[in-house]
Amino acid sequence: MCDARCSAPLEHHGDMLLLTDIYCMYNRARGTDLVSPDDVLAACRELERLRLGMKLRRFNTGVLVVQSSNHNPDAVVARLLRLLQTRAFIDGTFVATAWKVSLPVAQEHLQVLPPLACCGACGGVVCLAVTRLTTMHGDGPGC
């Protein structure tokens, strides 16, 4: 099921794609004789074992993605902090648009930031600037 055609979309979308997106892309390319979601899941479970440079990952929220084996959470944090240098706050919608990833993936990326980066009162909006803390909400830790 997976060959070099898989890595190009993965690279284009920040080395991570939702399993549902992969299912849709694969069946759209097939046109007829579609595969089931269970077949796609079973195939993706084998990616790491087959050493195809990708692996299936389940986030704590239950979101399933296929990500590059080279995916580096520290690099994600660095990219997020660079975004915060230009804005007072970021949220999942902004990250999804800026990085051309789906909203659930963007929200998962925001979860890798240190705990003080989000006060919780802001509904998932990260309001920690690199050089200063904003006073957007004032009542949460770090805000």
Side-chain angles (χ1 to χ4, degrees):
M1 178 180 127
C2 191
D3 56 19
R5 293 174 289 187
C6 294
S7 61
L10 198 61
E11 290 170 7
H12 180 72
H13 293 281
D15 290 338
M16 192 178 294
L17 276 169
L18 286 172
L19 189 61
T20 53
D21 290 343
I22 291 172
Y23 167 76
C24 292
M25 291 167 60
Y26 187 75
N27 276 327
R28 188 177 311 126
R30 287 179 63 101
T32 60
D33 195 26
L34 306 179
V35 297
S36 73
D38 290 336
D39 290 341
V40 173
L41 178 60
C44 289
R45 284 185 173 139
E46 299 298 317
L47 290 172
E48 190 171 17
R49 186 183 66 79
L50 296 171
R51 296 187 180 130
L52 294 172
M54 299 169 232
K55 63 182 179 180
L56 182 66
R57 177 178 178 189
R58 179 184 301 269
F59 286 101
N60 292 337
T61 59
V63 172
L64 285 170
V65 298
V66 170
Q67 70 180 32
S68 166
S69 296
N70 299 325
H71 179 76
N72 182 350
D74 293 334
V76 171
V77 170
R79 286 180 71 193
L80 289 169
L81 292 176
R82 280 195 301 275
L83 281 178
L84 278 167
Q85 287 178 332
T86 62
R87 299 176 57 91
F89 67 92
I90 57 175
D91 62 5
T93 304
F94 179 77
V95 173
T97 303
W99 292 0
K100 296 182 173 98
V101 297
S102 65
L103 183 58
V105 168
Q107 290 170 326
E108 293 298 338
H109 283 318
L110 288 173
Q111 297 300 314
V112 300
L113 284 174
L116 287 178
C118 184
C119 66
C122 49
V125 175
V126 176
C127 49
L128 172 70
V130 174
T131 56
R132 60 175 165 60
L133 296 173
T134 67
T135 55
M136 245 176 96
H137 302 291
D139 57 346
C143 289

